[in-house]
Amino acid sequence: MDSAIIVLIILTLMLVMFIWNKVPIATTSIIGVLAFIIFVPEITFAAAFRGFGSDMLFLIIGMVVVGNALFETGAAGYLGELIMRHVGTNEKVFIVVIILVSVTISLFMSNTAAAALMLPIVAACVGSSGGKLSKKNSFMMVAIAVCVGGGITVVSSPPQIIAQGFLEAGGHQPMSFFEIGWFGIPLTVLLILFYLTIGMKLQKKVFTFPEVEEEAPKRVMAPVLVERNYLKMLIAVSILLFCVVGFITVDHHPLTMGTIALLGATACVVTRCIPERRVFERMDWTTVVIMGTSFGIATALELSGAGEMVANGFIGLLGDNINQFMFLGALSFVCIVLTNFMSSTAAASILIPIGAFAAIGAGLDVRPAVMIVAVSTNIGYATPISTPPMTMALRGGYRFMDYVKVGGLFNLLAFGLVLLLIPLVFGV
């Protein structure tokens, strides 16, 4: 059987397993890459697993450690409590502040960690509001906000980290630190306007179930209220600022983003902001594995010819007179639909190389195609399985169709905004 067909069969089975979600996503990814090695002669072990030595992989590892150090020292919890103390119980003020805080926190740590921080804070605010606020009208909003915030910087969510690694590996110009924010910041504004107008009214109409009691925090979700050492809090925040400055000025010094992140992570351990044991306990190993194996998927698509085959099929569906705007809009739609039924990380790892090959086949620029996949695979709000924050929001008591009715509407609005922004951002 032709290698390209074998690769497509393996990818289809991986997609089914991702959606089925009975086998852990990291295990599915490893099984898929091992299948490439076994059944596709062109794929060697070194080529399939080369992603585990990439700069981007160590970027995400380092920043997970720094983000967890903010938890351990109490700096993240203190910041949240300080802000929330001045919000009060005015619902509209609460909406704006919670969205802005959630987005801001998710700029420099994983959206999963940001959700783990914000949901307990919101629950505490609800408990002290005298019934004026509720978890069921707040938790989904927080989950969407951290997902939107995760699409603003190049390090805040796995899809853009995967995209950055793909661009670098292919010799294309990498994204600057805030470049993807041309989409993420307008989406933040749209989210605020949505909840200040139809969003909150729709929630109150749709969410008819009774308020549920807050569950006890799971082991992986460290409590917000931890013993605070103010010196260590200051050190942890300083290390975070060092990393952020390093990322922003990466073109002006010899250090890579991965090196900067590892320096920050090492500093957190050396200064005892986080014990070494906790580094390994709280590492997001699923993202690490997905990131490492994503290169194997791209390699299999390239060396087998499957990427070119899929790209030609995609171009054929769009017709002969395809232009950059049509291509990017169609690619964005495919990404958003797929992301709602599998993790954004898995969707990005599959669609980034396919989008790049399709762009090449159509004679279009690869870089916008890769970027639009990174943007669009962060836009999945219509189901509770699209991203970990949307899953964590289930603690508010939501049903599957609650996501479809509220998150799905914002999903459509977000896609419309992306279509409007494509010509402005890429000049097409």
Side-chain angles (χ1 to χ4, degrees):
M1 188 181 294
D2 184 73
S3 293
I5 300 299
I6 295 174
V7 167
L8 291 177
I9 291 173
I10 294 171
L11 280 176
T12 301
L13 292 174
M14 289 176 67
L15 178 59
V16 171
M17 292 175 71
F18 283 143
I19 296 173
W20 185 41
N21 202 33
K22 296 297 183 182
V23 179
I25 181 175
T27 303
T28 297
S29 298
I30 292 176
I31 291 172
V33 173
L34 288 174
F36 292 144
I37 297 170
I38 295 170
F39 297 108
V40 184
E42 296 89 345
I43 310 300
T44 65
F45 184 91
F49 288 104
R50 66 189 176 93
F52 286 94
S54 69
D55 182 72
M56 290 298 106
L57 179 68
F58 288 97
L59 165 62
I60 195 169
I61 289 174
M63 289 313 295
V64 166
V65 175
V66 174
N68 287 337
L70 294 173
F71 276 106
E72 291 291 321
T73 60
Y78 179 78
L79 174 63
E81 291 173 9
L82 184 65
I83 295 172
M84 293 306 303
R85 194 178 300 151
H86 299 87
V87 172
T89 57
N90 182 291
E91 190 173 57
K92 291 189 175 181
V93 176
F94 179 76
I95 288 170
V96 174
V97 172
I98 284 297
I99 290 176
L100 290 178
V101 172
S102 300
V103 167
T104 302
I105 289 175
S106 62
L107 294 180
F108 307 113
M109 65 174 67
S110 75
N111 50 27
T112 304
L117 168 64
M118 289 303 301
L119 290 177
I121 291 177
V122 169
C125 292
V126 168
S128 61
S129 68
K132 295 180 179 179
L133 305 172
S134 69
K135 290 192 286 291
K136 66 182 181 182
N137 287 331
S138 306
F139 275 25
M140 188 180 293
M141 178 180 70
V142 170
I144 295 175
V146 298
C147 291
V148 170
I152 293 179
T153 70
V154 76
V155 300
S156 52
S157 186
Q160 50 264 43
I161 295 175
I162 295 172
Q164 187 82 319
F166 186 90
L167 290 172
E168 291 187 352
H172 305 285
Q173 179 186 352
M175 293 180 285
S176 61
F177 190 72
F178 283 109
E179 187 169 3
I180 206 168
W182 288 109
F183 290 95
I185 293 174
L187 282 171
T188 302
V189 175
L190 177 65
L191 180 62
I192 293 174
L193 294 176
F194 174 74
Y195 270 104
L196 286 178
T197 54
I198 60 175
M200 189 56 68
K201 293 179 181 178
L202 179 61
Q203 285 195 157
K204 291 177 179 179
K205 182 178 179 180
V206 171
F207 301 160
T208 57
F209 52 86
E211 186 81 358
V212 298
E213 294 298 323
E214 176 70 357
E215 297 176 6
K218 293 181 171 56
R219 184 173 181 271
V220 295
M221 292 176 56
V224 175
L225 297 175
V226 298
E227 184 178 350
R228 289 171 180 153
N229 180 311
Y230 288 95
L231 176 59
K232 289 184 179 179
M233 287 170 58
L234 179 61
I235 293 172
V237 171
S238 299
I239 291 172
L240 174 64
L241 292 176
F242 160 78
C243 292
V244 172
V245 172
F247 296 150
I248 295 173
T249 60
V250 72
D251 293 333
H252 304 288
H253 56 71
L255 301 180
T256 65
M257 286 190 179
T259 303
I260 294 167
L262 285 180
L263 284 172
T266 304
C268 287
V269 175
V270 170
T271 57
R272 298 177 184 259
C273 288
I274 183 170
E276 185 181 50
R277 172 180 55 82
R278 294 288 283 166
V279 168
F280 293 101
E281 286 179 351
R282 302 192 61 192
M283 179 55 61
D284 185 357
W285 293 111
T286 295
T287 299
V288 170
V289 172
I290 288 291
M291 179 67 188
T293 55
S294 66
F295 286 83
I297 295 173
T299 299
L301 286 167
E302 180 180 2
L303 296 183
S304 69
E308 184 178 356
M309 180 185 295
V310 172
N312 290 337
F314 183 66
I315 294 168
L317 290 174
L318 295 176
D320 297 328
N321 298 320
I322 183 175
N323 57 42
Q324 186 91 342
F325 174 75
M326 291 170 55
F327 174 79
L328 294 177
L331 184 59
S332 176
F333 177 77
V334 171
C335 292
I336 291 173
V337 171
L338 192 59
T339 298
N340 273 298
F341 295 97
M342 61 190 294
S343 81
S344 58
T345 306
S349 67
I350 291 174
L351 292 171
I352 283 173
I354 288 178
F357 286 121
I360 293 171
L364 302 173
D365 192 357
V366 169
R367 192 170 183 271
V370 173
M371 287 181 63
I372 205 65
V373 174
V375 169
S376 301
T377 49
N378 277 303
I379 300 175
Y381 321 120
T383 71
I385 60 175
S386 55
T387 61
M390 298 304 291
T391 304
M392 293 163 67
L394 280 168
R395 290 160 47 201
Y398 308 114
R399 298 155 296 199
F400 187 91
M401 288 305 298
D402 293 329
Y403 283 84
V404 175
K405 293 175 181 177
V406 178
L409 176 58
F410 183 70
N411 227 150
L412 292 174
L413 294 173
F415 175 60
L417 180 59
V418 168
L419 291 180
L420 291 175
L421 291 171
I422 285 174
L424 300 176
V425 176
F426 298 121
V428 298

